[in-house]
Amino acid sequence: MFSKAFQRKYALTDQGVKNTEKGVVWTVAANLVVMAGMGILYLLMGHFMDTLTDGAPLPAAAPVLALTVLFVLLSFLTHLQQYRATYGLVYDEVQATRLSMAERLRKLPLGYFGRRDLADLTETLLGDVNRMEHVWSHVLGYLYGAYISTGIVAVCLAVYDWRLALACLWGVPAAFGLLFGSWKLAANASQRVKQAALRVSDGIQEALENVREIRAANLEARYLERLNAKIDAHERTTVRGELSTGLFVNGASVIMRLGVATTILTGAQLILAGEIDFMLLFLFLLVITRIYAPFDQSLALIAELFVSQVSAERINELYDTPAATGSETFAPQGHDIVFENVSFSYGGEEVLHGVTFTAKEGEVTALVGPSGSGKSTCARLAARLWDVSSGRILAGGVDIATVDPEALLRDYAMVFQDVVLFDDTVMENIRLGKRGASDEEVLAAAKAANCDEFVRRLPQGYATPIGENGARLSGGERQRISIARALLKNAPIVLLDEATASLDVESETKVQQALSRLLAGKTVLVIAHRMRTVAGADKIVVLDGGRVAEQGTPAELMAKGGLYARMAALQTESAKWRV
Ligand code: ADP
C-alpha cells in the first residue's frame, strides 16, 4: 500500500510499513463501523418518525436489540485490533529501529564518528526515535485511515445528495490545505528548536567534561551564564515554534467545523425548497459529528508530523552514510602489507600523496618522520579504520577495501598509544584480546607481556578492578596490558605505535622484552619514536609531508645521507625519535 518514499519519510523499517498498513486497515474498519452505527440510528429514527406521523407500528424489539449488540461487538473488535496494530506493534518497531541503527553504527567507517559528535548521535538514537515512536503509534494509522474512511463516507453521502455532501465536507480539504501550506513554516521552526536543544545538551556535556578545569580557573559563574543564555534561547524558540504550529492547527480545526454551519444552512434551504426531507438533513448531521472525530485526533497530533520530519531525516542520514562493507571471508596469501600509490584525505586537504611501500611478513617495518608527516594515518589505513581515497592497500595480496572490517581485523593486533581499558578486572581487560580465552591462556599472555609481577602486587591480583580507563595503572603498565591482549590474540599482522611518553628504564626494558615476544615472525608495522627500534628494524620508510621521502634498511639509509641520516645524527641513543 505504501511506497518507499513513505517508508523513508517516516523512517520506518520494512516490518514497520506492514504494521502501519495494518493500523490503517483497522482504523478504516473501526471508522466505518462507527458510521454504520449512525446508519442504524438513522433507520430507527425513520421508523420512530413514521410511528409519530402515520401511527405505523414500532419495529420489533428483538431485531433492534440484535443489531445493537452486533454493532457494539463489531465496534469493540475493530477498535481492539486498531489499538493493537497502532499502539501495540510500535514497541517492536522502536526495538527494530534502535537495533538496526546500532548495527549500522558498528559498520560505519571511523571517520563518521569524528564528523558527528557524541551528544548528537545519542540524541538520534534516543530522542529522535522517541519522537518517531509517537508519530508511528498516534498519527500515521489514524490519519491515513481517516483519509480512506472519509473518502468512502463522502462517496456514500454524495450518492444521497451531492449538495449536502459538499456543504458537509468542504472543510476537510480546506483544513488540510492550510496545514500543509504551513508545513514549511512549521518544519523550519522545529529545525530551529532542535538546534537550540542541541546547543543546550552540548553546553551541559562540555561543562561536565571540563568541570575540573572550570573550577580550577574559577570560571563557574561565566560558564553558568553562558549555559543559561542557551537554555533561554531554547525556551524562546520552543514557545515561538509551538505558537506558530498551534495557530495553524487550531485554525484548521475551526475551518473544518465550519462544515456543520454550512450543512445546516444548505439543508435548511433545500428543505424550504422542498428538495429534501428533514430526515436526510438529520442523517447528514449525525454523520458530520463523527466524520471530524478521527481528523480531530490526528489534527492535534499533526504538529508532531511536522516536527518528526527533522527526526526522520536525522535517522535517514545515518542509513545514507556508506558503510564499510566487504566480503565476510578474508583468505590472504601470506601477510605482506603493500601500499600501492595510496592517497588519502580526512575530508579536507589530502594528507597522504601517492604512498608506496611494502611491509614484509616476518619483518619489522618502521615508519618514521616528523610529527604530522602521516605515520599514524598510514597505520590506520592499513587496518581499514578509514578507506583510502585512491590507490590500494593489499594484505596478503587481497585489497583490504574488499574485506569486511570485522573479518579483516581478526588478522590484526593493534598496540596503539591510546590504550583503551575498561572498568573491569585486569583479567577481563586482557581477555578482550581473544573472546572465550581460558584463564590459563590469559595468564600465559600476561606473563609473556611482563604484566605478571605488577598485577600480583595489586590488592586482588588479576581480579582487581582497573578503574575507569586504567586510572590506577602507570603508562608502562597500561601498555603491557595492551601487549598482553595482542599476544593473546596472536594475529599475524601487528600495528604498533610506540609510546612517546618516556618510561623509566626498568619499565622500558620490560616493554621491549614483551614486544620482542609479540613481534616474532609477524608482519610488523611500527610507528617508531625511539632510535633503538628504528635501528633494529628490517626496513625503514621515511615519511615527509605525506610522501615517502626514502626507504630501505637502516644501513642503506645511513649510507645514503638523506633525511633519515640527518634525523639520526640529531638523535642520541636514548633520545626520543622526534623532530
Ligand atoms: P603523524 O602520525 O606522522 O604525526 P598523522 O598521520 O597523525 O601524522 O597526521 C597527518 C596529517 O593528517 C596531519 O596534517 C594531521 O593534522 C592530519 N590528521 C590526522 N588525523 C586527522 C583527523 N582525524 N582528521 C583530520 N585530519 C587529521
Side-chain angles (χ1 to χ4, degrees), residues 336-343 352 354-359 367 374-375 377-383 388 391-395 400 412 495 525 548 551:
D336 288 358
I337 291 185
V338 181
F339 274 58
E340 278 183 10
N341 205 14
V342 170
S343 298
L352 289 187
V355 170
T356 300
F357 69 86
T358 300
L367 294 170
K375 305 180 294 288
T377 306
C378 281
R380 289 177 195 140
L381 291 179
V388 298
R392 317 195 279 172
I393 299 174
L394 307 173
I400 61 168
Y412 283 68
L495 304 179
L525 196 58
V548 178
Q551 53 179 311

Side-chain angles (χ1 to χ4, degrees), residues 188-243:
N188 286 346
S190 89
Q191 181 76 39
R192 277 193 296 273
V193 172
K194 185 102 230 178
Q195 276 160 0
L198 264 183
R199 274 193 287 275
V200 172
S201 59
D202 270 351
I204 293 173
Q205 192 172 345
E206 191 186 33
L208 288 177
E209 274 169 8
N210 301 321
V211 69
R212 236 178 302 175
E213 286 76 4
I214 293 172
R215 270 211 200 147
N218 232 337
L219 288 172
E220 284 125 313
R222 237 179 75 198
Y223 233 89
L224 280 179
E225 213 172 282
R226 267 174 44 196
L227 198 58
N228 254 335
K230 285 178 187 165
I231 294 173
D232 285 345
H234 179 221
E235 189 183 325
R236 273 196 305 279
T237 36
T238 309
V239 168
R240 231 175 278 152
E242 294 278 332
L243 207 66

Side-chain angles (χ1 to χ4, degrees), residues 439-481:
D439 286 2
E440 288 71 37
E441 284 178 279
V442 173
L443 288 180
K447 282 207 179 89
N450 280 345
C451 290
D452 202 52
E453 40 90 26
F454 85 78
V455 175
R456 290 203 184 281
R457 274 196 316 244
L458 293 173
Q460 292 148 272
Y462 283 90
T464 314
I466 260 177
E468 199 160 327
N469 217 2
R472 297 185 188 174
L473 300 178
S474 77
E477 290 167 348
R478 291 152 64 100
Q479 208 166 23
R480 277 182 271 167
I481 292 221

Side-chain angles (χ1 to χ4, degrees), residues 110-111 114 344-352 367-380 386 497 527 529 543 545-546:
L110 272 182
F344 176 73
S345 81
Y346 282 102
E349 232 173 281
E350 195 175 272
V351 295
L352 289 187
L367 294 170
V368 303
S371 164
S373 57
K375 305 180 294 288
S376 317
T377 306
C378 281
R380 289 177 195 140
W386 272 269
D497 187 356
I527 300 170
H529 301 285
L543 289 170

Side-chain angles (χ1 to χ4, degrees), residues 360-364 486-487 490-494 517-524:
K360 283 220 172 66
E361 185 163 10
E363 288 189 1
V364 172
L487 276 167
N490 196 25
I493 297 170
V494 181
R517 288 184 196 122
L518 171 66
L519 305 182
K522 310 278 169 58
T523 306
V524 182

Side-chain angles (χ1 to χ4, degrees), residues 72-90:
V72 170
L73 258 180
L74 272 180
S75 181
F76 174 74
L77 281 179
T78 48
H79 279 94
L80 182 70
Q81 290 298 343
Q82 177 193 26
Y83 183 86
R84 282 197 179 144
T86 51
Y87 295 92
L89 291 176
V90 80

